[in-house]
Amino acid sequence: MTDEQLAAMHRLLAEYHRRLAKEAVLDVVQQYNSDLAQRFSDEAALIPGRTAIVERLHERERQKREEGE
């Protein structure tokens, strides 16, 4: 799964939970779905940065292996 697909999935889940929150009758259910929607939205925004960090770590490990050979 690409970063773009993963971020799109998080955005889709966020929208789904926002819709559930709007339709919820109980306050606790509304708050739960609103919080969950915000978490998915936040995660979607963090995916590209996390991917860049992992790529840099992999590059560093590759360089260390090459230097050790």
Side-chain angles (χ1 to χ4, degrees):
M1 179 175 282
T2 66
D3 290 346
E4 292 81 17
Q5 291 170 326
L6 189 57
M9 181 184 68
H10 278 78
R11 286 190 294 272
L12 179 69
L13 287 168
E15 286 303 315
Y16 171 74
H17 283 280
R18 283 189 185 103
R19 190 170 52 252
L20 287 177
K22 288 178 185 176
E23 296 171 359
V25 176
L26 297 174
D27 288 342
V28 68
V29 174
Q30 182 182 31
Q31 188 61 46
Y32 171 78
N33 283 295
S34 292
D35 290 346
L36 199 51
Q38 187 60 50
R39 288 182 192 169
F40 279 123
S41 183
D42 293 345
E43 285 296 316
L46 294 173
I47 290 168
R50 288 179 177 164
T51 300
I53 290 169
V54 169
E55 288 173 354
R56 286 194 302 269
L57 290 172
H58 282 296
E59 180 61 25
R60 253 188 247 152
E61 288 298 317
R62 185 189 62 75
Q63 288 174 352
K64 285 181 182 178
R65 279 194 307 268
E66 287 177 356
E67 291 172 0
E69 293 175 356

